[in-house]
Amino acid sequence: MKLKLAIIFGIVIWVLSYILSSILGPIFTDNLPYIDLIIPLITIVVTGFFGILYIRNIETNEVVEGLLAGMIFIIVDIILDMIFFVVPNTQNIMFDNFPMHVLSVAILTLLITTFLGYLAQMKIDLK
């Protein structure tokens, strides 16, 4: 487990998710006021990208590494959410329903990173 790399990627994922949701969130919430699709989409894209960067350098136990990396990403996300938004009581589009946010991010992150680990361990010959 590359703990330092996983923590750094977790921080980068959190920062990019926040920046992209701040930029793109108002565009989508103004046009689709009852549907909040932007945060899950941003989570999928950003976590997928950095999950690939993390998993590609792992040689053994890719599925377990993917699961552990996903757990680290979730822990970093929750800690940073608490530090910057929950404790100071700052309003943000991502945290209108905080328990649902944590649950959806946790499920998406674990599924993405574990699936990436599964794909990384497969031997595929595309001829």
Side-chain angles (χ1 to χ4, degrees), residues 36-44 47 70 74 77-78 81 93-95 97-112:
D36 187 19
L37 287 176
I38 193 64
I39 295 170
L41 288 175
I42 289 171
T43 301
I44 291 168
T47 303
I74 292 166
D77 180 71
I78 291 171
D81 287 347
I93 186 174
M94 290 173 62
F95 308 108
N97 187 358
F98 187 68
M100 182 58 96
H101 166 74
V102 170
L103 183 64
S104 65
V105 167
I107 290 171
L108 286 173
T109 301
L110 285 177
L111 284 174
I112 290 168

Side-chain angles (χ1 to χ4, degrees), residues 5-29:
L5 184 63
I7 292 172
I8 291 170
F9 280 173
I11 292 170
V12 172
I13 288 169
W14 185 85
V15 169
L16 283 176
S17 296
Y18 172 71
I19 290 171
L20 290 173
S21 69
S22 295
I23 294 170
L24 299 175
I27 296 169
F28 284 92
T29 55

